[in-house]
């Protein structure tokens, strides 16, 4: 695999795989095992729209983002609408991640507190601020090639999560025989499950940028099997 394609795969995996590992278990508990069909449908839809995305961007070299596609299709109004939906989605996804990190770190380090003068932060609020400060510099990187190395740490973290679960099951005595309480299908939980499955692909808006950054754009369709079939 060419280096540029490998970097694009790394960025795509970082955007999708970690989210899926964190949300799919709860989605299954809400919708049941049959709800995995919804996950497959969402993945297929994102895969297909990704192929259409390549065709749209190949049609005009000036197209580099989703708003550009919206303007090409529906004029200035289309650009404004697509921009609004894209930025709102990215903002809410980032907010969701900060809340998730704050909750998890608060459970790992209960009672943490930092006081600077008259300002005191503790618990979830403290970790949300700390995570935001750590992540913020990565948003200033201009090269997606450099960002790929940052993304590699996210992929590594996803591998660690999987290995930790396997360790807990095989070594710590949890085992693999537990059936749990999840029923094959829970109709009432399907909307929640569907929302979480869609959240797994919340990084999809970044794919136009990934495509535009590739030197060998013809290799982009080969990225989807690695990123969308995780």
């Amino acid at each position: 695999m060419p280096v540029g394609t490998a970097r694009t795969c790394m960025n795509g995996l970082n955007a999708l795989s970690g989210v899926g590992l964190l949300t799919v278990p709860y989605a299954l508990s809400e919708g049941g095992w049959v709800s995995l069909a919804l996950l497959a449908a969402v993945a297929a839809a994102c895969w297909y729209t990704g192929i259409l995305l390549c065709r749209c961007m190949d049609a005009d070299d000036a197209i580099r983002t989703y708003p550009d596609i919206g303007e090409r299709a529906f004029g200035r109004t289309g650009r404004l609408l697509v921009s609004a939906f894209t930025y709102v989605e990215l903002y809410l996804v980032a907010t969701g991640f900060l809340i998730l990190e704050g909750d998890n770190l608060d459970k790992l380090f209960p009672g943490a507190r930092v006081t600077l003068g008259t300002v005191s932060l503790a618990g979830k609020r403290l970790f949300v601020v700390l995570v935001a400060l750590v992540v913020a510099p990565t948003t200033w990187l201009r090269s997606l090639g450099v960002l790929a190395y940052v993304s590699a740490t996210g992929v590594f973290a996803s591998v660690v999560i999987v290995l930790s679960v396997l360790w807990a099951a095989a070594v710590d005595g949890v085992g693999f025989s537990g059936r749990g309480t999840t029923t094959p299908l829970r109709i009432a939980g399907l909307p929640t499950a569907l929302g979480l499955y869609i959240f797994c692909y919340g990084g999809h808006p970044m794919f136009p940028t990934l495509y535009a950054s590739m030197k060998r754009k013809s290799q982009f369709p080969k990225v989807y099997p690695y990123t969308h079939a995780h």
Side-chain angles (χ1 to χ4, degrees), residues 43-104:
C46 290
W47 192 329
Y48 180 67
T49 54
I51 295 174
L52 295 180
L53 173 67
C54 295
R55 296 176 182 175
C56 289
M57 298 186 72
D58 287 339
D60 189 345
D61 292 338
I63 296 177
R64 301 183 64 85
T65 63
Y66 275 116
D68 292 337
I69 297 174
E71 184 175 18
R72 180 69 178 268
F74 304 106
R76 181 171 177 78
T77 300
R79 183 180 187 86
L80 292 175
L81 287 175
V82 173
S83 296
F85 280 109
T86 300
Y87 294 144
V88 167
E89 179 188 7
L90 293 176
Y91 174 79
L92 293 178
V93 168
T95 302
F97 272 121
L98 289 177
I99 294 173
L100 182 65
E101 291 296 333
D103 288 342
N104 290 337

Side-chain angles (χ1 to χ4, degrees), residues 18-194:
V19 186
L21 286 175
L22 294 173
T23 59
V24 168
Y26 181 72
L28 286 175
S29 70
E30 288 293 306
W33 291 102
V34 178
S35 68
L36 280 174
L38 295 176
L39 176 60
V42 172
C46 290
W47 192 329
Y48 180 67
T49 54
I51 295 174
L52 295 180
L53 173 67
C54 295
R55 296 176 182 175
C56 289
M57 298 186 72
D58 287 339
D60 189 345
D61 292 338
I63 296 177
R64 301 183 64 85
T65 63
Y66 275 116
D68 292 337
I69 297 174
E71 184 175 18
R72 180 69 178 268
F74 304 106
R76 181 171 177 78
T77 300
R79 183 180 187 86
L80 292 175
L81 287 175
V82 173
S83 296
F85 280 109
T86 300
Y87 294 144
V88 167
E89 179 188 7
L90 293 176
Y91 174 79
L92 293 178
V93 168
T95 302
F97 272 121
L98 289 177
I99 294 173
L100 182 65
E101 291 296 333
D103 288 342
N104 290 337
L105 291 174
D106 182 48
K107 290 181 174 62
L108 288 173
F109 306 102
R113 175 181 293 274
V114 172
T115 301
L116 296 174
T118 59
V119 179
S120 179
L121 290 174
K124 298 177 182 179
R125 293 182 179 180
L126 168 63
F127 290 115
V128 167
V129 173
L130 291 178
V131 170
L133 292 176
V134 171
V135 173
T138 64
T139 65
W140 304 334
L141 298 175
R142 296 181 178 274
S143 171
L144 288 178
V146 176
L147 186 61
Y149 297 104
V150 179
S151 298
T153 62
V155 176
F156 174 74
S158 298
V159 174
V160 170
I161 291 175
V162 174
L163 293 178
S164 298
V165 173
L166 291 175
W167 181 276
V171 179
D172 290 345
V174 176
F176 296 93
S177 59
R179 295 181 179 276
T181 57
T182 301
T183 58
L185 179 64
R186 296 182 65 237
I187 301 297
L190 284 181
T192 300
L194 178 59

